[in-house]
Amino acid sequence: SPAPQFDIISECQRQQLESVSYSSRYALGLFYEAGTKIDVPWAGRYITSNPCIRFISIDNKKRNIESSEIGPSLVIHTTVPFGVTYLEHSIEDVQELIFQQLENILPGLPQPVATKCQKWRHSQVTNAAANCLGQMTLHLQPFLVCGGDGFTQSNFDGCITSALCVLEALKNHI
């Protein structure tokens, strides 16, 4: 016989959790041999004029690391519309499309020695859980609380706010 089902959250809580929605995008990492020069005057750039690419960062420049042993790496984030459109396409096809668009933005990039294309199905919160004030206490015995930017807003401040709300809920419980 099947295992018994225990409902630990209310129907209202379930609906609040299901109402949270996220954007989707891809991230492409390009890794280069030591000594390779990526000749641009910036460490990161927000791109507004491309339908595919939204942000490019040169990781070693961003972290202010110059090394003769480790080559530079680029991280490319796609736009949300691109991520949604190509969410179920093969990683290989998506990577090729990103490469084509990257050539328009940074023509003549050297060939990377390695690449990693990552589907980010749940990238940023587009709609947070309503009326949760940074956390949701799901159960009291045992104490179960959840938090994160899905209960506030999708940025670093939202994560900090949620963490403080979770801490306050925990302090009030013990």
Side-chain angles (χ1 to χ4, degrees):
S1 69
Q5 297 289 316
F6 296 103
D7 292 329
I8 63 164
I9 64 173
S10 69
E11 181 61 22
C12 176
Q13 288 172 324
R14 188 184 62 74
Q15 287 175 358
Q16 283 176 291
L17 292 172
E18 287 179 350
S19 74
V20 179
S21 59
Y22 298 86
S23 63
S24 300
R25 67 179 74 226
Y26 284 87
L28 174 63
L30 306 178
F31 305 92
Y32 295 92
E33 285 180 347
T36 303
K37 295 283 183 245
I38 307 295
D39 197 20
V40 294
W42 41 264
R45 172 158 283 176
Y46 191 77
I47 310 291
T48 57
S49 57
N50 189 280
C52 169
I53 296 173
R54 177 60 70 229
F55 185 75
I56 301 172
S57 80
I58 302 171
D59 204 51
N60 56 310
K61 281 189 180 181
K62 184 177 80 175
R63 298 174 195 278
N64 205 15
I65 298 169
E66 286 296 329
S67 170
S68 57
E69 292 92 47
I70 301 169
S73 59
L74 261 64
V75 179
I76 298 105
H77 288 257
T78 67
T79 64
V80 169
F82 178 90
V84 170
T85 301
Y86 293 96
L87 191 61
E88 302 306 332
H89 286 63
S90 77
I91 291 286
E92 295 77 22
D93 289 349
V94 169
Q95 182 170 302
E96 186 55 40
L97 290 169
I98 297 170
F99 265 123
Q100 289 169 7
Q101 292 298 321
L102 185 60
E103 179 63 25
N104 296 332
I105 298 168
L106 295 175
L109 272 178
Q111 275 298 114
V113 291
T115 62
K116 172 69 174 161
C117 191
Q118 183 68 47
K119 183 188 300 189
W120 203 358
R121 186 178 293 275
H122 299 103
S123 169
Q124 290 178 292
V125 176
T126 53
N127 187 46
N131 306 315
C132 284
L133 302 175
Q135 59 85 24
M136 183 186 288
T137 300
L138 297 177
H139 207 257
L140 294 174
Q141 288 293 333
F143 188 66
L144 179 61
V145 63
C146 57
D149 59 357
F151 298 94
T152 54
Q153 58 194 8
S154 192
N155 58 27
F156 186 70
D157 288 345
C159 295
I160 296 294
T161 298
S162 177
L164 293 171
C165 292
V166 168
L167 178 62
E168 199 59 34
L170 183 59
K171 280 171 41 182
N172 291 338
H173 179 72
I174 52 177

